[in-house]
Amino acid sequence: MKRFDAINRIAEVLTEELVICNIGIPSKELYHLRDRPQNFYMMGSMGLASSIALGLAISQPRKKVWCIDGDGSILMNLGSLSTIANVNPSNLILIVIDNESYGSTGDQYTHTHNNTNLEIIAEGAGFKSIVKITKGEKIKNILRDLGKGCHFVLIKTKPGSALVNNIPLKPIEIKNRFMQSFTKN
Ligand SMILES: [Mg+2]
């Protein structure tokens, strides 16, 4: 399984969830697989998808918020894990797709390829609900079955990215349609 396969399975179970997606190719892959107004393709702030998702979960407590993050990005912002675990919102799923590489810059190894274990880091940060997935066919059922809570979902994949086009939306367009997708209701 590569990240594209994991995002494909995540995209297939989305209903009304608000999704904050990691910078770079992950967002392009999600756009290619299933574009929707409730997707926020985060551009320009590597490492901050999880922080944005936390803020959104706090400000929209009746909405389900999913963050699709990556190993390289979460390693840039490890403090976010302890903040999220201590705020402990009941409506947030932080999905980290760990392909052990910086996929958007040429698949250079990250530290998870060697000694660093994000599952243990999440536990130490204080997450009470941690799921590790290594088989793609389990992704949909696990995500469907997660109830209310603050969940850390680690999906281990192989490196490599799909050949997908750039997102043909300006950042302001992404932001505006995203905000309209849940403030209209
Ligand atoms: Mg990665």
Side-chain angles (χ1 to χ4, degrees):
M1 167 174 54
K2 292 186 179 179
R3 181 186 55 227
F4 186 77
D5 308 306
I7 291 177
N8 190 27
R9 292 174 193 269
I10 295 165
E12 284 178 358
V13 292
L14 289 171
T15 55
E16 297 302 315
E17 294 82 2
L18 302 178
V19 175
I20 305 293
C21 192
N22 189 20
I23 193 170
I25 297 176
S27 275
K28 295 178 189 178
E29 290 180 343
L30 178 61
Y31 179 88
H32 175 85
L33 287 161
R34 189 173 170 199
D35 181 43
R36 54 205 271 284
Q38 298 96 331
N39 293 351
F40 182 74
Y41 308 108
M42 195 270 289
M43 296 180 177
S45 309
M46 183 173 173
L48 292 182
S50 60
S51 300
I52 294 168
L54 173 60
L56 185 66
I58 293 169
S59 66
Q60 299 292 325
R62 281 183 275 180
K63 300 288 185 184
K64 294 178 183 174
V65 177
W66 289 13
C67 177
I68 301 175
D69 213 346
D71 52 308
S73 288
I74 203 71
L75 286 169
M76 280 186 71
N77 187 15
L78 283 177
S80 180
L81 291 177
S82 53
T83 305
I84 292 170
N86 282 274
V87 174
N88 197 28
S90 64
N91 58 336
L92 178 59
I93 300 179
L94 172 55
I95 303 165
V96 176
I97 300 175
D98 181 4
N99 60 5
E100 303 183 358
S101 63
Y102 293 101
S104 296
T105 58
D107 293 331
Q108 301 91 347
Y109 288 137
T110 68
H111 291 313
T112 63
H113 184 72
N114 296 305
N115 299 334
T116 299
N117 185 322
L118 290 173
E119 187 181 16
I120 295 173
I121 290 175
E123 184 181 2
F127 278 86
K128 302 300 181 198
S129 169
I130 298 168
V131 184
K132 181 180 179 181
I133 304 173
T134 57
K135 295 188 187 321
E137 59 267 28
K138 296 198 171 179
I139 290 174
K140 287 164 69 172
N141 281 344
I142 287 174
L143 289 176
R144 276 199 194 107
D145 291 345
L146 285 177
K148 273 193 160 190
C150 180
H151 306 281
F152 181 87
V153 177
L154 181 67
I155 303 177
K156 294 289 288 189
T157 74
K158 293 177 180 165
S161 301
L163 288 172
V164 289
N165 292 327
N166 288 333
I167 297 171
L169 298 170
K170 295 175 183 168
I172 190 70
E173 293 173 326
I174 295 169
K175 187 198 86 165
N176 287 343
R177 74 171 196 160
F178 178 72
M179 292 185 69
Q180 285 167 6
S181 78
F182 58 89
T183 53
K184 269 184 180 174
N185 298 325

